[in-house]
Amino acid sequence: MGQSEETDFKRRLRLLVVGEDTRRAEYLLGSEDVVRDSVARVRRVVEEHAFDCVVLALTSTGQAGGETLEAVLSSVPDLPVVVLSRADDASLAEHAMHGGAQDHLLEAETSSGELRRAIQFAIARKHTEASLARQALHDSLTGLPNRDLMLDRLNVALARSRRRPAAVALLFLDLDGFKHVNDRLGHAAGDEVLVEVARRLQSVLRPGDTVARYGGDEFVILCEDLRGQREALRVAERARAAIAEPFALHGRELNLQASVGITRARRTETRAQDLVREADVAMYQAKRRGGGVELYETTHELEFESRLRDAVSLTHLELHYQPVLALPGDAVHSLEALVRWQHRERGLVAAADFLPLAEEIGVIAEIDQWVLAQACLQLARWRAEGLVNDRVPVSVNLSAASLRAPDLARAVDRGLADAGLTPDSLSLEVPEASLERDPRRAGGALVNLARSGVRLCLDDYGTESSTIGALSSHPFATVKVGAAAAARTLATVLAAARGAGVETVVQRVETEVQLAAVRDLGCDAAQGFLLIAPTSAEEVALWLAARKG
């Protein structure tokens, strides 16, 4: 243990003790700075004073104890909570740990030293959770919010705009010619430029605006409470002007420009991914015109829609694959098929940027069936070449439209038969939102698929309040949860999945810290850019062959 940790561990703590009877807790904590108050005043007291930890002296059991526990935990989401319980109630202890408490101790069996150590460890664990959450939601290079956090804030902004009139705009910014910086000066120099771009963008935004690094040299700016379109244009021009200032790089002067696409939420049902797609389309239009700022117009949407219809009818689609690795080793667990659109001007377009539109215009089920058939054929080829064994399935994402389609079972049977595969060679990933739209029909379709022997996976498990019900009500064999979830959430998800008898795959693993946490929690498998990024079938075949050799 380092010196700084030792010092922190011994320092005097400021503790808030609440409960119906706090005398035993106060006695055990006699040497600490203790403030006693009621459960009803927890939120107000925490807002008025700084505390290191909250100690809940819990005397009630059953429903009453659970309500007290939830009241305290919901009031102090950012503080560690240690529960000192008078009764040996196993269900209440489990409720405490799953609900967010860092520790649960029995009053009669706890000494003064044990309680103090529990509090110190609770503080350390809470700090670790906060650090993991920050790493998961911020770009490691620039410190800006990453894509996941930006989408979350955009969803919040859209929800807020539905409750009260407030203009929301999204700006998609791309650095013109940045590739030449990396090619001529190296990636380290490119990283320095990106860090400086992030700093400049933050310096020119209005209070309340958010800038995120969306990927590579792409940045997204979220603007709320705009007085009109002109204000969004002014933000874009300030951002471009800041980037146009020369960069001093190791004695050299570097000049860059930026292309910016702007869109705004025009309808109450606008979705976050729709805005990102629209701003992206506008940005590419600005690039085609030689740079500058472009506003998203209906004509762009119509053009994009027309080309997507052509892509589906002419099969200008292709599949990339991302392996999932079993834990604690690194054997191949499964291979997820991910559809891409080869756009003639924009290049390879990711699924998230065109599938929402495909669903709107009614071609999503057709895409799903094409993906299913091609993925099954590809898995059969890899098996024939000896690159994967017969226990490794291919995983295909299933949309809500496909889940409701009457010919889904026939499409699955046909895809497996054409490839000569057994049903357990295919795993169908179902997002929770698909179940919510038409639960009865979706449930019937899932039961029929499970009876046929096809594996079922609940995607993005733990992100919605109804997920636990979905897991227990449908025949899922696997659940997937994002690595961006806090350690406490991951532990809760894992416990619930184990209780339901299904395996857990953690996806979007992007850092070593996340991977270590996933391993420590005993998850069954992991998937993410840290392990291997989605890539073409040819590249995956080379990767599989290298592992064999």
Side-chain angles (χ1 to χ4, degrees):
M1 181 178 291
Q3 181 61 39
S4 61
E5 291 178 335
E6 186 77 27
T7 302
D8 284 342
F9 211 74
K10 289 183 175 180
R11 73 181 175 87
R12 197 172 179 84
L13 299 175
R14 186 165 174 79
L15 308 173
L16 174 62
V17 179
V18 296
E20 299 168 4
D21 185 351
T22 62
R23 288 173 296 178
R24 175 64 178 170
E26 291 178 72
Y27 171 76
L28 294 175
L29 297 169
S31 64
E32 303 291 353
D33 289 333
V34 175
V35 173
R36 175 171 56 84
D37 216 305
S38 67
V39 171
R41 281 176 37 87
V42 169
R43 191 189 303 273
R44 180 181 298 177
V45 175
V46 167
E47 288 175 352
E48 294 173 352
H49 305 280
F51 293 101
D52 294 297
C53 183
V54 175
V55 177
L56 171 58
L58 196 59
T59 56
S60 301
T61 59
Q63 182 177 350
E67 290 174 354
T68 300
L69 180 66
E70 289 176 6
V72 172
L73 292 175
S74 63
S75 297
V76 291
D78 298 324
L79 281 176
V81 175
V82 172
V83 179
L84 189 65
S85 182
R86 183 164 297 175
D88 189 358
D89 186 335
S91 63
L92 197 59
E94 184 178 2
H95 187 182
M97 300 305 293
H98 285 178
Q102 273 62 50
D103 210 340
H104 179 279
L105 305 171
L106 286 178
E107 188 177 283
E109 299 177 1
T110 303
S111 66
S112 177
E114 289 170 337
L115 179 56
R116 291 196 191 96
R117 283 193 295 274
I119 290 170
Q120 292 282 7
F121 285 125
I123 294 169
R125 280 195 295 272
K126 193 69 175 181
H127 287 170
T128 300
E129 284 181 17
S131 177
L132 286 171
R134 174 165 181 81
Q135 291 179 44
L137 296 173
H138 289 78
D139 174 51
S140 59
L141 176 65
T142 64
L144 293 178
N146 63 13
R147 179 182 306 208
D148 289 339
L149 183 53
M150 166 56 72
L151 290 175
D152 180 69
R153 290 185 180 178
L154 180 53
N155 277 314
V156 171
L158 291 173
R160 193 156 41 224
S161 71
R162 295 183 191 111
R163 293 193 297 270
R164 58 179 177 81
V168 174
L170 198 70
L171 286 63
F172 203 109
L173 182 149
D174 182 88
L175 301 179
D176 299 332
F178 180 74
K179 182 177 183 298
H180 299 302
V181 177
N182 282 332
D183 291 346
R184 293 200 315 267
L185 304 178
H187 287 279
D191 287 349
E192 288 186 44
V193 170
L194 292 173
V195 170
E196 176 61 15
V197 166
R199 187 196 65 77
R200 293 184 185 185
L201 290 177
Q202 287 177 300
S203 71
V204 300
L205 295 186
R206 307 172 311 149
D209 290 346
T210 298
V211 59
R213 186 183 177 199
Y214 204 69
D217 61 335
E218 297 174 334
F219 295 82
V220 170
I221 300 172
L222 169 62
C223 300
E224 294 187 70
D225 297 320
L226 294 168
R227 289 187 291 271
Q229 193 165 263
R230 288 186 179 180
E231 195 169 5
L233 284 167
R234 285 196 290 270
V235 173
E237 291 298 350
R238 285 201 302 271
R240 293 189 71 245
I243 291 171
E245 291 290 325
F247 291 80
L249 203 63
H250 304 296
R252 304 179 60 170
E253 189 174 277
L254 176 69
N255 293 289
L256 287 176
Q257 298 293 328
S259 296
V260 183
I262 302 177
T263 190
R264 58 190 176 86
R266 298 174 301 282
R267 307 178 305 277
T268 56
E269 67 274 13
T270 298
R271 298 179 302 183
Q273 283 290 359
D274 292 336
L275 284 186
V276 173
R277 174 178 58 79
E278 292 171 2
D280 190 24
V281 168
M283 183 273 292
Y284 274 96
Q285 181 67 12
K287 275 190 175 294
R288 285 195 291 269
R289 294 185 179 183
V293 180
E294 182 75 20
L295 295 170
Y296 182 83
E297 301 287 348
T298 305
T299 51
H300 292 125
E301 185 172 30
L302 293 175
E303 176 190 15
F304 197 77
E305 177 180 326
S306 174
R307 292 191 179 182
L308 178 55
R309 290 184 187 276
D310 288 343
V312 174
S313 61
L314 301 174
T315 62
H316 289 165
L317 303 174
E318 61 183 74
L319 287 186
H320 281 198
Y321 295 85
Q322 186 174 30
V324 178
L325 301 185
L327 298 176
D330 63 349
V332 178
H333 171 278
S334 55
L335 297 148
E336 182 178 1
L338 300 162
V339 65
R340 300 289 186 261
W341 172 17
Q342 189 62 54
H343 193 284
R344 67 188 186 191
E345 292 174 351
R346 296 173 56 187
L348 205 61
V349 182
D353 295 328
F354 71 88
L355 287 187
L357 177 60
E359 188 166 6
E360 287 181 14
I361 64 178
V363 298
I364 186 69
E366 188 176 347
I367 292 176
D368 283 352
Q369 292 187 17
W370 180 85
V371 171
L372 191 152
Q374 296 301 312
C376 287
L377 290 172
Q378 183 60 68
L379 179 64
R381 285 193 287 270
W382 281 332
R383 286 185 176 181
E385 294 165 4
L387 295 176
V388 294
N389 63 52
D390 291 347
R391 295 185 301 277
V392 174
V394 67
S395 179
V396 173
N397 293 280
L398 205 61
S399 67
S402 289
L403 201 56
R404 298 192 302 268
D407 61 344
L408 173 60
R410 287 194 298 274
V412 170
D413 291 342
R414 185 168 58 251
L416 291 169
D418 289 347
L421 297 176
T422 56
D424 62 353
S425 301
L426 176 65
S427 176
L428 296 176
E429 296 193 15
V430 180
E432 181 186 358
S434 299
L435 304 178
E436 295 175 344
R437 296 186 184 181
D438 191 347
R440 181 174 299 180
R441 183 183 297 181
L446 292 175
V447 169
N448 290 335
L449 288 168
R451 285 174 179 168
S452 74
V454 171
R455 308 184 192 195
L456 298 176
C457 172
L458 180 60
D459 199 10
D460 280 335
Y461 175 70
T463 60
E464 301 290 345
S465 59
S466 59
T467 303
I468 300 297
L471 182 60
S472 60
S473 304
H474 302 292
F476 291 108
T478 306
V479 291
K480 278 191 172 182
V481 59
R488 173 170 54 83
T489 303
L490 278 175
T492 302
V493 166
L494 184 60
R498 284 173 175 161
V502 301
E503 63 178 359
T504 306
V505 175
V506 179
Q507 57 188 342
R508 296 187 291 276
V509 176
E510 297 181 356
T511 69
E512 293 287 353
V513 173
Q514 290 175 343
L515 181 59
V518 168
R519 291 185 187 277
D520 290 344
L521 288 168
C523 297
D524 297 302
Q527 174 184 23
F529 279 75
L530 178 68
L531 304 171
I532 176 173
T535 188
S536 66
E538 293 77 13
E539 291 294 326
V540 171
L542 293 174
W543 181 83
L544 291 170
R547 290 169 61 88
K548 288 283 185 180

